[in-house]
Amino acid sequence: MHTKPYLIAEIAQAHDGSIGILHSYIDAVAKTGVQAIKFQMHIAEAESSIQEPFRVQFSKEDAIRYDYWKRIEFSLEQWKAIKKHCDEVGLDFICSPFSNLAVDWLEAIGVQAYKIGSGEVTNFLLLEKIAQTGKPLLLSSGMSSFEELDITVAFLKSKKVDFSILQCTTAYPTKPEQYGFNVISELKDRYKVSVGFSDHSAKIATGIAAVALGAEILEFHVVFHRDLFGPDAIASFTMEETKQLVEAVNAIYIATTNPIDKNTNESYLELKTIFEKSLAINKNLPKGHSITFDDLETKKPKGFGISAADFEKVLGRKLRTNMSQWDFLNEEDLE
């Protein structure tokens, strides 16, 4: 378990095939305070075919999905430079492979951890390939039922894989009724592994709530601007929002790991003397007057008169001397 929420900024296809833009994303993400940056390694020939349809026809320059993957892919040498840049700015390099060949490349690069997207949860060939690396694995549960997850989890446990599960809803952007916060605790109880939340809502509050509800890992897409081209931009955080999210979830983590004991209030004793009040009288009163409720007021600070909490004990008692409006009322003033 990580000492504080482990935050992963996903670039995915936000670079649109530009190696220059990708490197500028690394520099920008490094300034937000997240621990890790995540990419997707697409090698068109190994993972796709000309038969693959577009899920959403978002591209105006690629006739088919294969053309898109081909246009945005990078060479092994380019990937090595990407990993080196991440090392230089102190970001963990995490990547989703979509082919066994991509796993070979990622091992050559020195990937820190693998991420398996929702569509690959039942791809046991790929899971076996990753298991053989001995590296940690993040498993996204987006499109999977518990029945499917049970099989995958049993497989990973049998292979002694160090894995975590992310509650995720495959919808871009995700609506509140689709978040599935209840699944965070259900996954923890069911599989006894660390559990996180993969967010596509583009709302800071979602990640804050997920951490408050026990998510130990938070993954979210980032983009320079939500109007940029790409399938994930609308469901992404800007860099400024990412900074706000980092600050907020770290504060929430500190709050949830520092329970307050309401059985003691010792730490407030000094403040209580300032904020709490003493009894006073609200009009000039003569010696021998019997105190009534309508004669009383309370004034700061505490300790200069009888405690406001004890007002009932002075009702009906007589004054020993004449008293002026707004005087504190003490025990020695009463018979």
Side-chain angles (χ1 to χ4, degrees), residues 27-42:
D27 286 328
V29 167
K31 295 171 189 163
T32 64
V34 303
Q35 294 96 321
I37 188 167
K38 190 180 93 64
F39 301 96
Q40 295 181 12
M41 183 177 280
H42 292 284

Side-chain angles (χ1 to χ4, degrees), residues 59-293:
S59 178
K60 291 182 168 60
E61 57 185 310
D62 308 296
I64 56 174
R65 188 71 155 160
Y66 179 89
D67 293 344
Y68 173 69
W69 297 133
K70 192 72 188 165
R71 183 174 63 78
I72 65 155
E73 70 181 28
F74 300 118
S75 70
L76 178 56
E77 291 312 305
Q78 287 174 316
W79 276 113
K80 285 178 179 174
I82 291 165
K83 167 64 165 62
K84 184 169 180 284
H85 189 174
C86 293
D87 291 344
E88 288 166 354
V89 295
L91 288 169
D92 290 349
F93 176 90
I94 297 175
C95 195
S96 296
F98 290 87
S99 61
N100 281 20
L101 178 58
V103 177
D104 288 333
W105 281 23
L106 287 166
E107 284 302 295
I109 292 161
V111 70
Q112 268 115 324
Y114 287 93
K115 162 77 192 298
I116 283 292
S118 303
E120 309 285 338
V121 170
T122 56
N123 184 348
F124 288 100
L125 184 79
L126 184 60
L127 292 172
E128 171 66 37
K129 181 80 174 175
I130 292 171
Q132 290 173 10
T133 70
K135 297 272 176 68
L137 173 67
L138 294 165
L139 189 70
S140 203
S141 65
M143 294 189 278
S144 309
S145 65
F146 273 129
E147 189 179 358
E148 288 174 323
L149 279 175
D150 285 347
I151 297 166
T152 299
V153 166
F155 175 84
L156 294 175
K157 286 186 172 177
S158 74
K159 302 287 179 180
K160 306 283 192 292
V161 177
D162 173 14
F163 71 98
S164 306
I165 301 180
L166 305 182
Q167 160 53 11
C168 159
T169 301
T170 309
Y172 301 82
T174 322
K175 297 174 186 164
E177 58 270 28
Q178 300 172 310
Y179 293 168
F181 284 148
N182 59 297
V183 182
I184 295 172
S185 58
E186 289 172 14
L187 288 168
K188 281 190 178 186
D189 292 342
R190 193 176 184 101
Y191 301 125
K192 306 293 187 273
V193 295
S194 61
V195 172
F197 189 78
S198 182
D199 182 23
H200 304 120
S201 70
K203 298 279 187 291
I204 294 172
T206 314
I208 296 171
V211 169
L213 292 168
E216 298 157 59
I217 303 160
L218 205 55
E219 178 195 55
F220 43 86
H221 287 262
V222 295
V223 73
F224 285 128
H225 194 284
R226 271 192 284 273
D227 286 340
L228 280 168
F229 172 81
D232 306 314
I234 194 173
S236 302
F237 287 122
T238 64
M239 295 302 158
E240 193 51 48
E241 288 167 337
T242 303
K243 288 177 189 171
Q244 292 168 9
L245 179 67
V246 170
E247 186 180 337
V249 298
N250 287 340
I252 292 298
Y253 170 75
I254 292 168
T256 54
T257 52
N258 286 276
I260 287 172
D261 183 3
K262 284 297 279 183
N263 293 308
T264 175
N265 63 353
E266 280 178 25
S267 62
Y268 291 110
L269 291 181
E270 190 178 337
L271 273 180
K272 282 167 74 70
T273 63
I274 297 170
F275 282 103
E276 293 187 357
K277 292 180 172 177
S278 307
L279 284 179
I281 57 171
N282 61 16
K283 56 178 78 73
N284 294 332
L285 294 174
K287 177 181 175 179
H289 176 81
S290 289
I291 296 292
T292 69
F293 178 81

Side-chain angles (χ1 to χ4, degrees), residues 303-314:
F304 280 76
I306 295 166
S307 169
D310 295 329
F311 81 92
E312 288 178 305
K313 295 176 184 173
V314 309

